[in-house]
Amino acid sequence: MSTSPTTTAPSVNGDGPLTADHQQAIHAALVSGTRPPRASALTACRMFAWRAIVKIKHVPEQLLDVTITPVLFLVMFVYLFGGAVAGSTQEYLQFLLPGILVQAVLFTTVYSGMSLNTDMTRGVVDRFRSLPVWSPAPLVGAALGDIVRYVAAATVTVVLGLILGFDAGGGLPGIVGAIGLVALFAFGLAWGFTTLGLVMRSPNAVMNTGFMGLFPLIFLSNIFVEPSTLPSALEWFVGVNPVSHLVDASRGLMYGDAVAGDILLVIAEAAVLTAIFVPLTTKLYRSRS
Amino acid sequence: MSSPLAIETEGLVKVFGDTRAVDGVDLAVPAGAVYGVLGPNGAGKTTVIKMLATLLRPDGGSARVLGHDIVRDADEVRRHISLTGQLASVDEDITGRENLYLLGRLLGYSRTQAKDRADELLHAFGLDDAATRLAKNYSGGMRRRLDIAASIVVTPELLFLDEPTTGLDPRSRNQVWEIVRALVGQGTTVLLCTQYLDEADQLAGRIAVIDHGKVIAEGTSAELKAQVAQSTLHVRLLDPDQRGEAERLLTRVLGEPAHADTDPSGVSVAVASPDKAAEAIGELAQAGLPVAGFSLGQPSLDEVFLALTGHPADAEEETVA
């Protein structure tokens, strides 16, 4: 067969024609595709965060489960157990809301692992990994983009709490501070789930394993009950559970009686999670076939 | 040194568990042309591409891509290559324009430059109308075009195309071929992995045939064909009664046993070259054996593949990740 230049480029409709004009345009596009200076690591991270946010923009429904779950939990616990646990629904709401905020945000961290796992099963990761950009940028950017989820889940929870009559002694700064602290901790924890997302075979496996790990941390904490009412072994676990520390600090901020030590402890724990799981995730991501 | 080499590998090896997916591959890919890597599913083609594109570390051997070692200078390699993977390497959850914009920004364009570049490419690839649709709603052919457009946001010196037309209808496949020709016309080197023999035949200057992780043959399409089988000369005589005489003459002239076809006036004989075939036709006419028609059949690459590997090109359906 000869490979002489074809003058009769296929002219087609429907899928979008690729005519002789397109041939010329392709040639022109190739000529003008000169290499710009390398993108900075910051730009790369920002662009991957942009990607995560654009995805939410296209399918806003994906925020539904992260926002409906806390609503259900809050309403159910306050009105079903409030009277029994705290004497009145109003008192229980006051106790419970900061904890539900923590729960709502931490649940969404599992999605970080799931979405990375989903990405890995598609060809697009091969392209990202073959780009001349700072190689952890897709991971860091995605983690930054996930903060949108955290804030969405947190905002819905807090607004509903305020409507139901939560008394925020710490005012707006307290609420914002609590959301910020929870988001910071979630950022650290999410790296644990991205590590999981690179080890597991399917998004479903990530979800199942992730929630299996998360449930004990959430429920065996001080979110729902006063630890002093628990058997001593359980009380000990609740005491060392970082989720409890996060709840303590959030309560302090939202009630307006925050203790610096509580907040610093949470920041330290978030830092430890980040320090362990960021290198692990990055290493797995790079070596992934 | 004749022409500069875009890719040079020596004894490249990749092992997955007990499987030697790539088992000592030596390649010398000249710059500025399409180089075909031909083999059935599971032959190790994708693994070779992934190593060359720095996505996988080789377990043995070495490779240089555009002069840069794929392990030591991986980052430098990435600056000069583009990869269009077997699975379309586009982000299905964002639009076509957003895909190209994202890559433009990641490759260092400013906002305006990246937007302009995205629109330029969308137009060139006939995707203007689909620009704001999510890539997951594209047809297979459109997705593949977007994929290739994404690979040339910055014109690469070397483009890896891994089975670019698998699953495409003939029209889309032709479009992809046109694009590949345009790329090469502009000076880009293309490493094309394919399991389709006609695709390698159509596009590639040189072809390496890979089976079970090894290169089993290498050369131009014509060389590969010549290496395996001679052409066959089919002759139809005007007078079927002269067939016996024609058989004897052709056997004598060409030194190969001629034999009768199912067609009562047809004779076939293996022939080393078109020159010899022409000579034989001339002898027939001189001997008073008029010919109604003749044809010279080239062996297809399919036959070549069968002869080289002992099995047809599409016999194996297993895939290697």
Side-chain angles (χ1 to χ4, degrees), chain A residues 46-128:
Chain A
R46 245 185 34 224
M47 287 316 297
F48 282 109
W50 175 84
R51 169 182 179 242
I53 292 165
V54 165
K55 283 188 183 192
I56 295 175
K57 198 187 82 190
H58 285 305
V59 191
E61 301 93 282
Q62 61 182 295
L63 287 182
L64 271 185
D65 48 353
V66 308
T67 49
I68 284 180
T69 315
V71 168
L72 290 178
F73 263 88
L74 192 60
V75 172
M76 184 178 78
F77 271 78
V78 165
Y79 292 105
L80 204 58
F81 302 121
V85 175
S88 80
T89 55
Q90 213 50 39
E91 258 176 71
Y92 193 52
L93 173 67
Q94 199 63 22
F95 175 79
L96 185 67
L97 185 70
I100 291 289
L101 167 66
V102 168
Q103 183 209 38
V105 174
L106 294 194
F107 271 159
T108 67
T109 56
V110 178
Y111 288 93
S112 307
M114 286 172 66
S115 63
L116 178 59
N117 186 281
T118 308
D119 267 0
M120 295 306 286
T121 61
R122 297 182 180 171
V124 69
V125 161
D126 282 347
R127 183 182 299 286
F128 291 154

Side-chain angles (χ1 to χ4, degrees), chain A residues 1-3 6 8-10 12-18 22-23 25-39 43-48 50-51 54-55 57-59 119 121-133 135 286-289, chain B residues 16 50 53-56 75 78-81 83-84 87-95 98 101-103 105-109 111 117 120-121 123-126 134 139 141-142 145 147 150-155 171-172 174-175 178-179 182-183 185-186 188 202:
Chain A
M1 280 299 280
S2 75
T3 50
T6 36
T8 51
V12 292
N13 294 308
D15 261 1
L18 197 69
H22 292 110
Q23 291 284 310
I26 291 170
H27 279 289
L30 283 163
V31 174
S32 59
T34 48
R35 182 168 295 278
R38 186 186 165 121
T43 304
C45 291
R46 245 185 34 224
M47 287 316 297
F48 282 109
W50 175 84
R51 169 182 179 242
V54 165
K55 283 188 183 192
K57 198 187 82 190
H58 285 305
V59 191
D119 267 0
T121 61
R122 297 182 180 171
V124 69
V125 161
D126 282 347
R127 183 182 299 286
F128 291 154
R129 289 174 65 227
S130 67
L131 288 174
V133 295
S135 58
R286 277 190 184 142
S287 63
R288 177 70 179 238
S289 61
Chain B
F16 295 119
K50 285 197 165 181
T54 75
L55 299 181
L56 270 181
D75 210 48
R78 285 185 210 123
R79 285 180 63 77
H80 300 280
I81 60 154
L83 171 74
T84 299
L87 305 159
S89 322
V90 298
D91 192 337
E92 304 198 336
D93 298 327
I94 61 179
T95 68
E98 285 162 354
Y101 175 74
L102 173 66
L103 287 166
R105 293 284 282 143
L106 289 171
L107 288 163
Y109 286 123
R111 276 195 193 100
R117 184 66 177 155
E120 183 181 11
L121 288 167
H123 176 70
F125 285 81
L134 296 186
S139 71
M142 289 161 70
R145 274 184 276 148
D147 200 4
S151 289
I152 62 167
V153 168
V154 166
T155 307
R171 190 183 65 190
S172 304
N174 279 325
Q175 292 177 350
E178 295 292 337
I179 293 167
L183 286 169
Q186 215 54 48
T188 299
Q202 286 278 328

Side-chain angles (χ1 to χ4, degrees), chain B residues 248-259:
Chain B
R248 282 189 295 280
L249 182 138
L250 287 172
T251 304
R252 178 169 52 75
V253 172
L254 295 171
E256 295 278 348
H259 45 84

Side-chain angles (χ1 to χ4, degrees), chain B residues 226-248:
Chain B
Q227 188 179 332
V228 168
Q230 298 164 311
S231 310
T232 305
L233 175 65
H234 302 279
V235 179
R236 271 193 89 223
L237 298 162
L238 268 182
D239 181 359
D241 294 341
Q242 295 181 324
R243 184 152 82 163
E245 205 178 328
E247 274 180 55
R248 282 189 295 280

